[in-house]
Amino acid sequence: MITRTAQSPSSPSPLAIVVLAAGMGKRMLSDLPKALARTRENTLIDHVLITASKLDPERIVVVTGHMGDFVEEEVKLGVTNGSWSCKKLLFARQAEQLGTGDAVKSALPQLKDFVGTVLILCGDMPLVREESLRTLISLHQAENATVSLISLVTSQPAAYGRIIRDGSRVTQIVEARDCTPQQLSVNEINAAIYAVDSAFLEPALKELKNENAQKEYYLTDIVAKASGEGQTIAALVLHDEKEIQGVNTRYELGLVNRSLMERRIKRLMEEGVEILDPATVLIDETCTVHPGARIGPNVQLLGKTTIEAGVIIEGTALIFNTHIKSRSHIKIGVRMEDAQVGEGCAVGPFAHIRPGSVLGEEVKIGNFVETKKAVLSKGAKASHLTYLGDCSVGEDSNIGAGTITCNYDGYSKFETKIGRDVFIGSNSALVAPVTIDDGATVGAGSTITKNVEKDSLAFTRAPQLAKSGWSKNKREKAAKKK
Ligand code: UD1
Ligand code: CA
């Protein structure tokens, strides 16, 4: 019988966290160790460590094995780049993957001087919530338990370990492959998250045997040992199956990505963002969407994108690293990248806003317009079928349909400067480098190769010829031939 570490519910005992990440994840069919498989924004183990670090443990011990050096480097990178931090980060190496019990055993040297509660997590369960872990630890301490675990009641217990109870007392966990038919019908499963009293952990692990179907040292067997000694075992029963979703296959990684997205979208909607069809929207964690924005179906907000209040994104848009200020209206079919959109703009439908585009207040970009390194000042308009590249457009200037800034001669790029209150007639080619000064007008169909001076009219146009009766004659000749 083990003497338990003295705890009183009023003073929480110190916390150490062990994260198991020695597995290689054969079923991922990848050269990367499983812990380093990525969701859209993080490695699996980073997700777990970000959550774990929020509990402010005294130390975190990461157990590595397969490609251990590489996993350790990547884990440290998470600290260096500020994703998470911890008072003490330690590593343990499991030489051979002999089971989850053996994995925790290899962490014991890093826990030698630790007295308190050891929380054990798996590096491939990225959806575990901070609140659930806090609840588990509180329960563990309130019940003065030796081992506490998280379980889940499910209609599909599948290959999970079964929680076996005697009345309400948990007595053991039996792996699916070792279950009797009766045990297999139990629908309460083991999530593989445990809080264990440090004084109990070491002797319990040292007694583990591998006499089971997989010939592994099962961590789960410490539960039967505690029960046999008459120690208290507490169980926190969860109801959100998604929270304990592990990742063993690429399909399960896809499910995790979907769940992370659902959580984020739910949070944004609770904060006051209107999302018309949550199932078709992707929003990276790195984006900021303010309450009062409205996002239609089939929209991807990626990278460091900010969407302010009152913005309407109609739908079918990909917006990457772009800041859209309040009240702007992004119509259907828009792609934006590394751009800035000022207050009250209208963009699209079907517009391509490329890197370096800066739209001032109340700018209008209409259908089939492409901008690249184009700075448009307040009130400027390009409503139809236009390419604006390497250019500036002054306040209230109007760019007619079919205007092209010819910025490239096949070797280098050149700039076009358009002043304020300029009117560019339809179907004009502005051959850069060229400047069109304030208040000037360019006649429709012009090819502008020289600077246009302030308030002037410039046009290049072949004179119009007229031949009266020409069409009628032609029609009549054709009719005679029939
Ligand atoms: C484990 C539990 C099972 C539970 C399930 C929940 C055991 C014996 N079984 O089973 O009751 O229902 O999780 O998902 O614990 N690992 C190592 N070294 C090893 C083996 C595993 O570090 O030698 C790590 C893996 O990288 C992984 C975690 O431990 O992060 C869990 O291992 P895994 O093999 O997936 O356990 P399961 O068989 O799923
Ligand atoms: Ca697993």
Side-chain angles (χ1 to χ4, degrees):
M1 175 93 157
I2 307 301
T3 317
R4 299 195 59 259
T5 311
Q7 284 174 14
S8 89
S10 53
S11 62
S13 77
L15 179 68
I17 299 180
V18 175
V19 180
L20 304 185
M24 74 165 143
K26 265 188 231 143
R27 285 185 286 159
M28 295 293 284
L29 306 177
S30 157
D31 294 337
L32 272 185
K34 183 164 73 172
L36 301 184
R38 289 191 73 85
T39 65
R40 286 178 60 79
E41 44 274 315
N42 273 318
T43 60
L44 293 181
I45 191 159
D46 262 351
H47 278 284
V48 176
L49 290 166
I50 289 166
T51 308
S53 65
K54 289 181 184 157
L55 304 172
D56 197 25
E58 187 263 349
R59 72 185 73 183
I60 293 180
V61 184
V62 179
V63 180
T64 64
H66 177 66
M67 294 175 81
D69 289 340
F70 184 40
V71 176
E72 288 182 15
E73 285 316 307
E74 292 292 310
V75 165
K76 285 185 211 155
L77 216 59
V79 178
T80 322
N81 70 24
S83 304
W84 61 282
S85 67
C86 170
K87 293 191 185 103
K88 215 192 285 179
L89 170 63
L90 302 171
F91 292 98
R93 189 64 60 84
Q94 186 189 19
E96 235 186 303
Q97 279 172 60
L98 302 177
T100 48
D102 180 71
V104 180
K105 199 162 142 193
S106 50
L108 287 175
Q110 303 290 38
L111 293 168
K112 232 185 344 211
D113 55 335
F114 177 80
V115 176
T117 300
V118 181
L119 179 70
I120 302 168
L121 305 174
C122 295
D124 61 351
M125 286 175 48
L127 298 178
V128 172
R129 285 175 204 261
E130 181 193 346
E131 306 88 82
S132 304
L133 299 179
R134 282 191 190 280
T135 310
L136 177 71
I137 292 164
S138 305
L139 179 76
H140 181 70
Q141 294 181 355
E143 300 217 348
N144 226 4
T146 298
V147 178
S148 300
L149 56 89
I150 293 184
S151 73
L152 183 107
V153 175
T154 168
S155 56
Q156 296 190 314
Y160 287 106
R162 305 298 199 268
I163 306 287
I164 308 299
R165 292 181 185 251
D166 179 6
S168 65
R169 278 183 55 243
V170 172
T171 56
Q172 59 173 331
I173 301 173
V174 182
E175 290 306 290
R177 291 202 233 176
D178 300 305
C179 277
T180 63
Q182 197 197 351
Q183 288 170 330
L184 213 51
S185 68
V186 169
N187 62 359
E188 183 181 6
I189 57 144
N190 172 33
I193 297 167
Y194 322 84
V196 187
D197 181 30
S198 62
F200 173 79
L201 189 62
E202 178 166 355
L205 289 174
K206 289 193 167 155
E207 280 179 29
L208 288 180
K209 303 218 163 56
N210 65 350
E211 291 155 8
N212 51 55
Q214 301 184 78
K215 298 277 167 281
E216 285 185 3
Y217 295 91
Y218 290 161
L219 176 59
T220 44
D221 286 348
I222 66 170
V223 171
K225 175 167 169 61
S227 168
E229 287 181 5
Q231 311 264 11
T232 305
I233 300 161
L236 169 66
V237 186
L238 288 188
H239 298 281
D240 177 6
E241 279 191 49
K242 286 181 183 156
E243 189 168 348
I244 65 150
Q245 174 73 58
V247 175
N248 298 298
T249 61
R250 285 171 191 262
Y251 175 66
E252 286 171 349
L253 185 61
L255 294 181
V256 161
N257 269 318
R258 185 28 69 194
S259 295
L260 287 167
M261 195 58 71
E262 279 168 7
R263 274 187 194 178
R264 192 168 311 140
I265 285 174
K266 182 160 179 270
R267 192 192 67 221
L268 288 171
M269 292 177 84
E270 282 165 0
E271 287 169 3
V273 176
E274 190 178 350
I275 296 177
L276 300 183
D277 184 11
T280 64
V281 168
L282 293 183
I283 302 177
D284 278 349
E285 183 66 42
T286 42
C287 294
T288 307
V289 187
H290 293 209
R294 176 184 194 169
I295 296 167
N298 200 23
V299 170
Q300 300 183 48
L301 304 180
L302 309 176
K304 290 200 163 64
T305 285
T306 299
I307 308 294
E308 292 190 5
V311 168
I312 296 173
I313 301 175
E314 285 183 350
T316 308
L318 188 153
I319 299 173
F320 178 66
N321 284 350
T322 290
H323 189 137
I324 303 180
K325 289 203 174 163
S326 59
R327 295 183 297 103
S328 282
H329 187 174
I330 311 304
K331 298 177 187 173
I332 200 148
V334 168
R335 189 186 193 284
M336 295 188 178
E337 182 177 348
D338 291 317
Q340 294 174 45
V341 177
E343 273 182 45
C345 290
V347 180
F350 312 110
H352 190 183
I353 308 300
R354 293 174 50 204
S357 297
V358 179
L359 312 186
E361 247 176 87
E362 317 266 328
V363 163
K364 181 170 186 239
I365 298 291
N367 43 200
F368 309 108
V369 172
E370 173 181 348
T371 64
K372 187 220 66 172
K373 274 196 197 161
V375 179
L376 281 78
S377 298
K378 186 177 176 188
K381 288 191 180 70
S383 299
H384 334 262
L385 301 155
T386 288
Y387 173 63
L388 293 173
D390 301 299
C391 68
S392 57
V393 179
E395 270 185 38
D396 294 323
S397 288
N398 185 80
I399 311 296
T403 298
I404 306 290
T405 53
C406 309
N407 60 332
Y408 186 51
D409 64 359
Y411 301 94
S412 309
K413 300 276 168 67
F414 302 93
E415 267 188 64
T416 301
K417 289 185 186 150
I418 299 170
R420 57 185 301 163
D421 295 310
V422 167
F423 183 92
I424 309 286
S426 297
N427 207 25
S428 294
L430 311 177
V431 183
V434 71
T435 297
I436 297 156
D437 215 336
D438 296 348
T441 299
V442 169
S446 297
T447 299
I448 299 296
T449 52
K450 293 182 215 138
N451 291 347
V452 177
E453 74 183 42
K454 191 167 186 276
D455 295 328
S456 64
L457 165 67
F459 63 95
T460 63
R461 197 178 281 173
Q464 184 166 327
L465 301 176
K467 297 189 178 175
S468 345
W470 186 91
S471 298
K472 190 174 176 228
N473 290 343
K474 185 164 182 179
R475 209 163 37 241
E476 285 167 2
K477 267 188 204 158
K480 270 183 205 156
K481 272 192 193 159
K482 272 192 185 168

